[in-house]
Amino acid sequence: MATLLYRMGRTAFQRRWLVALLWAVVLGGVGLGAAKAPAASDDGTSFMPGIEAQKAFDLIGERFPGSAANGANARIVFIAPRGEKVTAAGNRAAIDALVTEAAHEPQVSAAVNPFTAGAVSKDRSTAYATVNYKVKADDLTDADRTALEKTIDKARESGLTVEVGGTALAEQPAAGGSAEAIGIVLAAVVLLITFGSLAAAGLPLLTAVIGVGVSMAAIMALGSTFGLSMTTGTLATMLGLAVGIDYALFVVSRYREERANGHEPREAAGLAVGTAGSAVVFAGLTVVIALAGLSVVGVPMLTKMGLCAAGAVIVAVLVALTLVPALLGMWPNAVLARRTRKRGPAVGRSDNAGSRWARFVLRRPVAVLVACVAGLGALALPVTQLEMGMPGAESKPVSSTERRAYDALADGFGAGFNGPLTIVADVRGAADPKAAVQEITKEIGATRGVVSVSPAQFNKAGDAALFSAVPATGPNEEKTKELVQSIRTERAGLERRTGATFEVTGSTAMNIDVAQALQDALVPYLAVIVGLALVLLLVVFRSVLVPVKAAFGFLLSVLAALGAVVAVFQWGWGAGLLGVEQSGPIMSLMPIFLVGIVFGLAMDYEVFLVARMREAYVHGDRAPQAVVTGFRHSARVVVAAAVIMMAVFSGFVGSGESMIKTIGFGLAVAVLFDAFVVRMALVPAVLALLGDKAWWLPRWLDRLLPDVDVEGAGLTTRSAPGAGPAAVEPAPQEPART
């Protein structure tokens, strides 16, 4: 591996203009494809096939084609001025006018008047009208939305307070906005401090942006074919930018080190790609495994996000291995530190903060290990109180009309009104379909916790009926979950008596089912990615205990990060500082999402840091000295890489979308815990306690494993300055260890 990458680095350095031209052609080609590709639309795939709520939703689409359940909707809430009622003549006229005008729009299938549908609160202070569209929200044009907004503005002119919920006018989530730009600026500052050179700081940023540009353009170009959207590409942007900067950072840092050791530019580029590039390849593979492993969860959207992000990571690896050495060839001295350019190479070892910290840990490994485990364990305690759900309008800021509409409906009609349960009855096996549906609605209406049941509506074929049940509690409350389970428990008895069956769906039931399914999928997912990654790390480090230690450290950091997410977003600790106006259940996708991404990133730092220790050990250092050597060369760069990732992820905390905000925060704190506590403290403490046993591998297993030479042992003959371009000789045998 090291020899192959060494030659790749030298070739890219020598043929730098050709490599740069090829990347420019790739970027231009995918950019042109993105510009000419049709806009991506909903591919119609189920959110999570197999769960009851999704089956019921699909049944509605099959038996009630063109129904309101399949199209966009707007729930327009009217609040009368203080002391007035919505039923007053002037207020009623304004509401009637809005409904009439909205009903005449070409894409509107129905506009329901609150006075004919009984959608008026008991105190007559609040009413709501429902506008249903023939098409989904993504297919509404700007003209459709503008027409609805104008009718709403007219109603507001009458003195009514009018707020809008539903999907028709819902704002599209923004990935990070200005806060994301701030994250990039912070990354640039960290690079400048780390390298002390504008060119060295700018090169990783430039190559990362190029890599993300290629990835996002490819996603847009293939969007209409595979149902990929900008939301699908959010994770690709986030990870592509973060790992793109980090991978280039490691190659540039190793290039500067080799130049400082006296190697000429082309040789230094080859050695940098052969050594640091090997770590980049395997670190990238661990991230790809974690992201591609999201496919086993069974959520098509999550699968697409994971595969798109995995593609972005692969692009980042290719950029680091080819474009970075090519750009180094264009400006071979610009990335060097000022003292190196002025004074020339300075061969020899010198202590730095990294080596001093390593010696500190090696002197007191037990105390450091106990402190790390206890601290992260304490931070992980909130995980025991984790409640999963799917944040809706209640999690939006109060400045949004969706949140104000949600609150007005809860005040006027009750907490459960914002999360009605939709029940679809299949009456093909019933002798008397109408009687069967009447008995089902009566039984569900009498269930404890149900406030009201709407009249059932049959489809044209008469083989299915649709109605809704309003719970007494809010969508994310535990009692609502228990209610859904109670209704489903009644099904067997009703089916025996009537010959008809039913299924429960709606946003509330969907969120409950998704949360349970994701919880069930977490253990198999962990088994897949941890198993594959352990095999990969076993090959990389040729050790049994180092991969196990890496997995243990990952579990500590991810549980601590998830605990911090629960404390902030569920308990509300410090939520105001992050712009979280409403705490509540954690997004159902968050735990499995965090586990997958953090696992990949944790293995990134493990490979970068421990590969350098392994390199020193293979080249003759004793186990404790190998730890010190690894920290001397890698600690500063790993810390810089972690700070950069935290800056990039923190940028997404500025998003107005709850999901993206939660993901950004979770990833930022996970990197903080993993890089600064686990990799910088726990790892050297464990290696100090294990000593030479850390690198133990049974002889039979050693013979079975392929020798990938990540530590660059095959490049030993080139370690001396001025080594010529002769063929690489085989590395000497690793010295025997006691």
Side-chain angles (χ1 to χ4, degrees), residues 534 537-538 541-553 606 610 679 682-683 686-687 689-698 701:
L534 285 177
L537 293 179
L538 182 67
F541 295 126
R542 307 191 75 77
S543 162
V544 173
L545 298 179
V546 169
V548 174
K549 176 263 306 169
F552 173 71
E606 180 75 12
V610 181
R679 308 304 154 189
L682 187 144
V683 165
V686 172
L687 291 178
L689 292 173
L690 292 175
D692 289 315
K693 294 178 181 177
W695 308 106
W696 170 77
L697 184 70
L701 188 56

Side-chain angles (χ1 to χ4, degrees), residues 39-43 138 172-173 216 219-220 222-237 301 304-305 308:
S41 59
D42 187 358
D43 61 359
D138 292 341
Q172 295 300 314
M216 292 307 297
I219 290 172
M220 293 173 65
L222 299 173
S224 60
T225 304
F226 296 102
L228 309 177
S229 64
M230 292 304 294
T231 302
T232 307
T234 298
L235 181 60
T237 302
M301 182 192 73
K304 292 176 184 178
M305 292 181 73
C308 286

Side-chain angles (χ1 to χ4, degrees), residues 166-180:
T167 59
L169 298 183
E171 296 181 0
Q172 295 300 314
S178 59
E180 181 183 346

Side-chain angles (χ1 to χ4, degrees), residues 623-641:
Q625 182 57 42
V627 174
V628 175
T629 301
F631 267 78
R632 177 188 298 116
H633 291 298
S634 300
R636 185 179 68 159
V637 182
V638 168
V639 167

Side-chain angles (χ1 to χ4, degrees), residues 6 39 78 184 212 219 258 270 416 425 441 453 534-535 580 624 637 654 691 716:
Y6 164 82
F78 307 94
I184 295 176
V212 169
I219 290 172
E258 298 297 343
T441 56
V453 175
L534 285 177
V535 172
V580 180
V637 182
T716 303

Side-chain angles (χ1 to χ4, degrees), residues 155-181:
R156 286 174 176 151
E157 292 172 0
S158 69
L160 288 167
T161 298
V162 186
E163 307 296 349
V164 188
T167 59
L169 298 183
E171 296 181 0
Q172 295 300 314
S178 59
E180 181 183 346

